[in-house]
Amino acid sequence: LACLFIACFVISRSAHAIGLQIKNFFYNRDRKESFLLKSEGEMKNHIFVVILESFVLSILFFSYAEFKMSDSFTTISPYLILLSDMIICTTYFIIKYALYGAFNHTFFNPDNNQLWFTGYNLVIFGKAITLLPVVLIVLYLNLPLEVCIYLFLGILAIYELLVLYKTRQIFFNHPLGIFPTILYFCTLELLPLYFLWEVLVKTNEFLLI
């Protein structure tokens, strides 16, 4: 609930900047518009976004692990498990941002990097805000796990498609750009996501078994 109230506060405080970002998401902005967004305070809430996303993912995975291994949850404090999941998710985002920053800085120009990170952070924020009601429903209304999984996968699929679209639009906007786009996307987006899942599963199994 605290996360929900903080998210509403962030949205109300940065409503104009977020509105401009959404409006300009599906085409490349010029430098004047980029400077306007930056001056509107576009980048100042990234830490909150990462923490919110990490917390939401850790809660969802915690609920999944509790359902799958309910008998083992009496042997260890659930807060320790939740804290471990939170640390893993936060580390995942830090590493992923570092990988994106290093790769994009090496192969692309700074203006395109700025445009891409603007779009990427907007999509991350949108995913966290969309998943937050799902978390609240899971916690307070006992949403069936199967429904929760389908909702999560649907939101994740939309998020990944938007990231794929923005990558193609900014970095590989040429007739054969779909091939390097897929390679870039699989290497820096899907592969880290797979490792996140594996680390979460192994860590929870280690703590519970």
Side-chain angles (χ1 to χ4, degrees):
L1 288 174
C3 287
L4 178 63
F5 291 135
I6 295 173
C8 292
F9 173 76
V10 170
I11 292 174
S12 64
R13 189 179 176 187
S14 306
H16 184 60
I18 293 173
L20 286 174
Q21 291 180 41
I22 295 174
K23 177 182 176 182
N24 293 287
F25 182 83
F26 293 99
Y27 65 90
N28 289 328
R29 298 186 301 268
D30 58 30
R31 297 184 66 180
K32 182 179 178 181
E33 290 174 315
S34 297
F35 178 78
L36 175 61
L37 282 177
K38 190 174 181 180
S39 67
E40 290 281 348
E42 168 200 358
M43 303 296 285
K44 64 185 177 182
N45 295 314
H46 289 351
I47 295 177
F48 165 73
V49 172
V50 169
I51 294 175
L52 176 62
E53 176 80 355
S54 301
F55 184 69
V56 167
L57 291 179
S58 61
I59 285 287
L60 288 174
F61 187 82
F62 176 86
S63 300
Y64 171 81
E66 184 180 23
F67 178 82
K68 288 294 186 181
M69 296 179 284
S70 57
D71 295 337
S72 303
F73 264 68
T74 58
T75 62
I76 189 172
S77 170
Y79 299 106
L80 176 60
I81 301 173
L82 183 60
L83 178 62
S84 301
D85 293 343
M86 178 75 176
I87 292 173
I88 292 171
C89 290
T90 304
T91 304
Y92 159 78
F93 280 106
I94 293 173
I95 293 174
K96 196 161 83 162
Y97 269 88
L99 289 174
Y100 271 129
F103 189 91
N104 293 351
H105 177 75
T106 302
F107 294 100
F108 307 112
N109 65 67
D111 288 339
N112 284 345
N113 290 343
Q114 177 64 35
L115 289 174
W116 187 88
F117 271 110
T118 297
Y120 183 72
N121 288 319
L122 177 64
V123 175
I124 287 283
F125 182 69
K127 183 176 71 166
I129 294 300
T130 307
L131 285 175
L132 191 54
V134 177
V135 171
L136 294 176
I137 294 173
V138 169
L139 294 178
Y140 292 105
L141 299 180
N142 294 322
L143 185 70
L145 181 66
E146 293 79 8
V147 177
C148 177
I149 291 174
Y150 288 134
L151 285 174
F152 175 79
L153 291 178
I155 294 170
L156 181 64
I158 295 173
Y159 156 78
E160 298 293 359
L161 287 174
L162 289 174
V163 173
L164 185 64
Y165 168 80
K166 203 63 181 174
T167 301
R168 173 81 162 87
Q169 180 197 56
I170 293 177
F171 293 146
F172 307 105
N173 190 17
H174 50 82
L176 297 179
I178 187 62
F179 300 108
T181 299
I182 293 176
L183 181 61
Y184 176 97
F185 179 78
C186 292
T187 303
L188 296 179
E189 188 66 31
L190 296 186
L191 195 59
L193 186 62
Y194 169 77
F195 282 118
L196 172 65
W197 172 261
E198 287 294 320
V199 172
L200 285 172
V201 169
K202 298 300 182 183
T203 302
N204 279 260
E205 288 179 350
F206 174 78
L207 291 174
L208 292 172
I209 297 178

